[in-house]
Each structure stands twice: as structure tokens, then as C-alpha cells.
Amino acid sequence: MSIRTRLTLSYVSFFAIALLTLHTGLYLIVRGVLLNSVDNELRLGVEVLRRGFAESNQTPYGYFRDDQLRAILLRQPPVRDFEATSLYVQFFDADGDLVGRSPNIGEGDLAAALTLDEQRFARALDGAEQITTVAYGNVQIRELMAPLRFFNPVTRREETVGVLQVARSMAEIQYALRLLFYALTVGGVVVLLAAARGGAWLTRAAFRPIDEIAQTAQSIVRAEDLSRRIPVPPAADELQRLTITVNDLLARLEELFNHQRRFIADVSHELRTPLTAMQGNLEVLARGAARDPQLLNESLDDMRREVARLIRMVNDLLLLARSDAGIQIRRDPVELDTLLLETHRELRPLAGQVQLRIGEEDQAVVIGDRDRIKQALLNLGINAIQHTPPGGVVTLSLTIRDGHAALSVADTGYGIAPQDLPHIFERFYRADQSRCHNGGGAGLGLSIVRSVVEAHGGKVLVSSEPGKGSVFTMLLPLDSQPEVNDAELLPPDSEAEAAGYGMLNRSME
């Protein structure tokens, strides 16, 4: 069952419950008003009879006797006055004997229906007025039993001399209630049908934009064209927000797919170079170089270098894949000052004619993976050496700023062009190779730096100016500290603005 059908059924069901509640309440209110009007009419009839009896100065037997009905007609109001009315009247004395009745009762079934009930008669003699409903064929009769009193001048008090029974047929009331019930039932059915039709139309109109979104998304999937977007509805409602969200999702998917294509192409390109070199060396060996010791050693050395390059690339890709998968790193105390000295010793053999030195060196301890932090720092150091010309200077520093340990690698190399800064964080991206005096690597080193630093809850900042050098800073939190301002954490002697942080990826081995 579709959502549209379920919504329509839910709407109609809720409307039916509300309509049933309303009609039931309306029916009960009308019925109560009509019964109250009948009861008031019965009480008025009793009051009229009591007043007429009191003004007649007769005894109940004389006032209500059938043989004096003709004389009573001359008085107001005698029992016979109810002959042409809708009220039926009977009078019973204190012993329960019928004294008189209105002529409209007759001697048939109506008289049998109005037979005196002893329990209600006894309660009426005690002074309690009682209203009840009795059956008369298919018609109900509403009756009121009330005591009849008169003032005894001898005892000087009121005495109960009998019980008046005043009744009224409910035929008109039943007919009116029956018509009301039929009207409410038929009207309710018609309204429910109209509500179902209208609900189906409303849900269809409300879901039309969703159908368009689904159809557009399906066409995008079939065409495999993630550059297409769903038209945004003009109304600022939930559907507009949904469309914007879906378009953002499509843009994100397009970016991811494009990134994946570029990544696969870059990996293929990087793998092709060493494999082609190895294939060439194997062909040289196959043509007889194996019998020449010098050519054999040169070919083997070339293949060893290419294999080592492949191993480094595969290890870097594996590390990045693990980082993307969210694998947890170790959480141990790491003394960064000791780590800085170790990195300096390992980088000195690689520096060549580049001067490698240590700048500021504060003592700092962070919680993290020592090997990963060292690898990131080595990558920054190698990157700086490769992009610094002979005679230049590479400086390793460790400072503490606003609860963060700042590991900085500054060089006096070629710097980074402004158009390259937004892209140096991408994997396999390499700036101008002509400015790298040492060949460069696959372009994964700075991506590893960024993934390691972010895994430790830190940031990587870079500031660079062409011709003056670059400064890369790894910010690692010492403890749970609030966010810091990137501009405040840049080296104070740097005149360049922070160009960004993220996946740093300048070419390195």
C-alpha cells in the first residue's frame, strides 16, 4: 500500500471518528432538549391541575369523578380540558384507586399502558415526583407521577390526598429523532465520501513534487549523469528543503565519483612509471645484459629503486585507506620534544646541501600514536628538503600556543603559488616539478600528514609565499581545549595568510 493511500485512509478515518463524535453529541443534545421540553410540559400540566383543584373548593372525589365531568367542563381547568390535548391525566386516591381520567385515554391499550405502578405510587405519596418512560405499542409514553395535596383547615396543614399521573405520547419526539438520525447518517456518509475524494486529490497534489523528485533521480541514475539537478520548488516548504538536500547529496556524490575517477587515474599513472621502468630493465637483461656485470648491476639497482618506490606507494595508500575507514589509532602519551630531536637526526642524512636546524623547542606531551606523528613530521621534513634549493634552510620547531602543541617545519624554498594552495591537499596533486631539485614522490605524503593530524583531533596550517618559502604547522591538542583561531596560531614571523588546512599533498618520496 502506497504512502498516498495510507495517508488518505488515515485522513478519512480520523475525519470519520470526529464526525461520529460530533453527530453523537448533536443527537444526544437534541434528544435531551426535546425530552426536557416534554418534561416541562408534564410539570406544567400537573401545576395546572393542582391550581384548578385548589381553586375548585371540592374534594378530589368530587373534582375528578366521571359523573361530574360535564359540570367540571365549566370550570378551569377540569380533567376533560385535556381531551383534545396531547396530555393524558389520571388521578388515584391515597389507596391507589382510580378516581378519574381524561377522556382521551379511553379503555384500550393506552389505559393498560398507564396502569398504576405500586412502587412509583408509593414514592409519589411520599412526596417525590417521578418521570419515566413506558412502552405503548411502537410508541413510547413519557409520564409524570406527582402527589396532590390540599390545605386542611381543621388540622391547618397540607395533606396528600392522592397522586396525579400526567403522561404524553413521544410519537412526535421519536419521529423527529428518527429523522435527525437518518439525516446525520446520510449526511455523514456523503461527507465522508467527499472527504475521501478530496483527501485523495490533496495527497496526490501534495505528492506530485515528490514523484517528480523520484522520477528525476531515477533518470539521473539511468543516465549516470550526476551533473543534473532536481528543479527546486518555489514554495519555501518541506519539499523545497528536501529538494535542496537531494541536490546537495547529488553534488556530493558527483564530487566523490569524480574524485574516485581521478584517484584511480592517478594511481594507474603512478604505478605505470615504475612498472614500465622495471619492464625495460627486464628487456635489457633478456637481451644479454645479464652477461655484462656493469649493466647487470645497473639494471638491478634500478629495479630495486622502483620496487622500493612501489612499496612506499602501496604502504601510503594502505595508510590512507585505513584512515578513511576510521581505524582507531593508539592513545599513548607522546613527548614531542624527544620526537622532534629523533626526526632531526633521521633527516640530516637526507638534507644534503640544505641546512637542517632546530628552532624553538618547548616541552610538550600529547595523547596519540607516536609512530604516526613521527611519520607525519618526517613527511613534512622531507617535503621541505625536496623543495628547498642547495644552501637553503629547513627549520623544525615545537611551541605551545593556547593549549595546542605546534610542530612547525619552515623552509626557505621556492614556496607555493597561490593557484596551487587550494589543491595541495588533494591526493596525487603535485605542484611544479621543475621547482623540486630532488625529483619528488607520488604526491601522497602531505595527504598522510593531514589524515594523521585530523585523527588526533588537530589541524594542519600552511602559509607560503612564492620565492620566500613555506611554513607547515601541525596543531595537536594537549588536552580537551576549546577551538582556537587559525590566524592566531600561525608563526609570528610569517607575513603570508593561512591558505587553508586539510589534505596536504605536495610531492615527496
Side-chain angles (χ1 to χ4, degrees), residues 203-223:
T203 53
R204 183 168 57 253
F207 276 83
R208 187 177 297 114
I210 298 180
D211 293 337
E212 295 177 356
I213 293 174
Q215 293 173 2
T216 305
Q218 289 175 357
S219 63
I220 291 174
V221 172
R222 294 193 206 99

Side-chain angles (χ1 to χ4, degrees), residues 246-381:
V246 173
N247 285 337
D248 292 341
L249 176 62
L250 291 174
R252 178 62 175 166
L253 289 176
E254 181 184 14
E255 179 183 355
L256 290 176
F257 281 126
N258 292 336
H259 177 74
Q260 184 184 31
R261 294 191 187 100
R262 291 195 303 268
F263 179 77
I264 294 175
D266 292 337
V267 169
S268 302
H269 175 75
E270 294 297 334
L271 291 177
R272 183 180 59 182
T273 302
L275 291 176
T276 302
M278 293 174 64
Q279 184 182 14
N281 285 309
L282 289 174
E283 292 178 356
V284 170
L285 292 175
R287 293 173 183 175
R291 294 187 294 272
D292 187 339
Q294 183 177 358
L295 291 177
L296 177 61
N297 291 332
E298 289 179 358
S299 298
L300 292 177
D301 289 340
D302 288 342
M303 286 191 290
R304 289 191 189 97
R305 284 194 298 270
E306 297 302 331
V307 170
R309 182 180 179 184
L310 286 175
I311 292 175
R312 287 195 300 270
M313 186 186 303
V314 172
N315 288 335
D316 291 344
L317 290 174
L318 179 61
L319 178 61
L320 291 174
R322 289 178 176 177
S323 176
D324 293 340
I327 296 178
Q328 296 295 326
I329 62 174
R330 291 183 298 177
R331 297 291 180 180
D332 300 320
V334 180
E335 296 180 357
L336 294 183
D337 50 338
T338 304
L339 186 66
L340 184 69
L341 295 176
E342 292 180 7
T343 305
H344 179 265
R345 285 196 300 268
E346 295 183 16
L347 289 175
R348 276 188 301 181
L350 305 176
Q353 300 181 21
V354 176
Q355 182 181 356
L356 182 66
R357 67 184 185 183
I358 295 179
E360 297 182 70
E361 185 184 3
D362 295 340
Q363 291 184 343
V365 177
V366 298
I367 302 299
D369 191 325
R370 191 180 193 277
D371 294 337
R372 293 289 177 261
I373 297 175
K374 182 178 179 180
Q375 180 183 8
L377 187 58
L378 282 172
N379 286 353
L380 289 180

Side-chain angles (χ1 to χ4, degrees), residues 436-500:
C436 178
H437 73 279
N438 201 17
L444 295 174
L446 295 181
S447 298
I448 295 175
V449 172
R450 179 232 152 165
S451 64
V452 169
V453 173
E454 288 191 348
H456 287 78
K459 297 179 181 178
V460 179
L461 305 179
V462 56
S463 63
S464 181
E465 187 175 352
K468 293 185 179 181
S470 305
V471 179
F472 290 90
T473 303
M474 298 190 303
L475 299 176
L476 301 175
L478 296 175
D479 289 307
S480 299
Q481 298 290 338
E483 289 291 327
V484 296
N485 190 311
D486 295 348
E488 296 177 357
L489 294 174
L490 290 174
D493 56 347
S494 175
E495 297 179 358
E497 296 182 354

Side-chain angles (χ1 to χ4, degrees), residues 78 107 111 150 292 295 317 379 383 412 443 509:
E107 300 293 339
F150 84 104
D292 187 339
L295 291 177
L317 290 174
N379 286 353
N383 182 74
T412 58
E509 287 291 334

